[in-house]
Amino acid sequence: TLVGDVGFDPFGLSNNPEYMPFESIKWYREAELQHGRVAMLAFTGFIAPSIIGTLPGDASHNFGELNPLNALTAVPQWGLVQIIVFIGGLEGQRYLKCVSGDNAAGDVGLGQGGFNPFNLNYSPAEYEEKQLQEIKHCRLAMLGVLGAWWQNILSGKGVLQQLGDAWTFPTFDQKAGYYFPDGL
């Protein structure tokens, strides 16, 4: 009955309410949306530094790291503390509104009916279509960020650098003419 439900549940998690956290499928949908939104931001983080650049740094702070997995260890310790505190506050609000509150899964009070600076007022059918688009993008981003992460681990290169290397020609292609007799 949820938007984006296609019946794929190989482990039968939605059929066993006694094993569900907080005894509701809403928790699973909230987790899927939250992980998908984080994955969309993470994939953007994989490609954005290669396109727009990085923040300027100094001798003690290296913000010029383009490899996202190495950039995590280049962040100063207090920078990581700030990130954790900020994300903890956002997660606390999400928990109060979506998990233990009355809001629908994924509805933190932004957009339709809440903070809406662009005045996006959708009909119920259009809003359901936007929810379907979001869940599809979330699922694709979760797969995409796993692929980018593993490819980065295996090759040590970023996504755009790997794509750029795919369009370069090897040096031996210019020597192909040497294998043919003259005048052919």
Side-chain angles (χ1 to χ4, degrees), residues 29-71:
R29 177 48 59 102
E30 179 65 32
E32 183 179 26
L33 283 170
Q34 188 64 19
H35 285 95
R37 290 170 179 170
V38 168
M40 286 188 274
L41 287 173
F43 194 80
T44 303
F46 265 89
I47 61 172
S50 298
I51 296 172
I52 61 173
T54 59
L55 296 172
D58 55 15
S60 60
H61 301 99
N62 178 17
F63 296 119
E65 181 64 52
L66 291 177
N67 185 334
L69 300 180
N70 294 341

Side-chain angles (χ1 to χ4, degrees), residues 3-4 10 18 59 63 103 109 122 140-141 144 152 162 165:
V3 174
E18 64 270 8
F63 296 119
N103 288 10
Y122 298 113
L140 181 62
N152 190 297
Q162 290 176 24
D165 291 347

Side-chain angles (χ1 to χ4, degrees), residues 51-93:
I51 296 172
I52 61 173
T54 59
L55 296 172
D58 55 15
S60 60
H61 301 99
N62 178 17
F63 296 119
E65 181 64 52
L66 291 177
N67 185 334
L69 300 180
N70 294 341
L72 186 60
T73 59
V75 174
Q77 178 182 5
W78 287 108
L80 287 176
V81 170
Q82 290 174 357
I83 292 169
I84 290 170
V85 167
F86 180 74
I87 290 175
L90 292 176
E91 285 295 305
Q93 287 294 337

Side-chain angles (χ1 to χ4, degrees), residues 24-31 97-105:
S24 76
I25 193 116
K26 179 181 169 185
W27 172 264
Y28 283 132
R29 177 48 59 102
E30 179 65 32
K97 291 179 180 180
C98 299
V99 178
S100 64
D102 293 334
N103 288 10

